[in-house]
Amino acid sequence: MTASKRIVLSSDHAAIALRQAIAEHITAAGWEAVDIGPTTPESTHYPKHGQAAAEKVASGDCALGIILCGTGQGIMMAANKVKGIRCGVCSDTFSARMIRQHNDANILSLGARVVGEGLALDIVDAFLEAEFEGGRHATRVDMIEAVEEA
């Protein structure tokens, strides 16, 4: 399968079950889930998992990513430290659609202690079905990328 259909998934210990449910869901929708763990419930550090997933997207190995922690906030902050990553945390479908359409987000972050499985799957679908609109939004994405270089 090409990188264009590969999605990396990672989380901390708080979100293993939801991450695995998402992996099954996206696989059923025709995506290749690249689940990089963790697989055991011992406490782990979300920054390393956010960075690892972001590096797979930034390298081109995966087209998109979905990362999770308790709130989705910390792992999102870690992922956004990787050059070329635009990750947003979402707890509703409208925001998930907009981060793709307007911000060309390449990683979605979710909070396992914020959204339940049903809503999480709807958010994932909204994110994956949306496409970047370009135009005036491309100028703004270019501005975001320039901030990284400063």
Side-chain angles (χ1 to χ4, degrees):
M1 186 167 285
T2 66
S4 66
K5 291 297 284 184
R6 290 169 51 95
I7 301 175
V8 63
L9 293 99
S10 192
S11 71
D12 69 359
H13 58 280
I16 293 172
L18 183 54
R19 188 191 77 237
Q20 292 171 337
I22 291 169
E24 290 177 20
H25 180 75
I26 65 173
T27 299
W31 294 86
E32 179 184 353
V34 180
D35 190 336
I36 60 173
T39 57
T40 60
E42 290 83 23
S43 182
T44 186
H45 304 294
Y46 59 78
K48 71 178 188 173
H49 299 292
Q51 179 182 356
E55 288 173 349
K56 285 206 164 287
V57 174
S59 73
D61 184 46
C62 294
L64 299 169
I66 301 171
I67 56 178
L68 306 92
C69 66
T71 64
Q73 298 291 345
I75 200 166
M76 177 265 307
M77 291 177 192
N80 278 324
K81 294 285 189 175
V82 175
K83 183 172 178 48
I85 296 304
R86 289 173 307 283
C87 177
V89 62
C90 296
S91 56
D92 63 271
T93 58
F94 177 78
S95 296
R97 195 169 32 259
M98 290 299 103
I99 67 170
R100 289 283 295 141
Q101 290 178 346
H102 290 189
N103 309 116
D104 199 19
N106 47 17
I107 299 183
L108 169 67
S109 183
L110 296 166
R113 295 178 178 150
V114 178
V115 297
E117 183 177 322
L119 178 55
L121 298 180
D122 287 346
I123 292 167
V124 166
D125 288 343
F127 179 77
L128 296 179
E129 291 166 5
E131 293 183 18
F132 183 50
E133 293 178 351
R136 71 184 189 279
H137 304 297
T139 300
R140 296 170 186 152
V141 170
D142 290 343
M143 292 171 73
I144 292 170
E145 292 298 314
V147 170
E148 289 182 348
E149 297 168 7

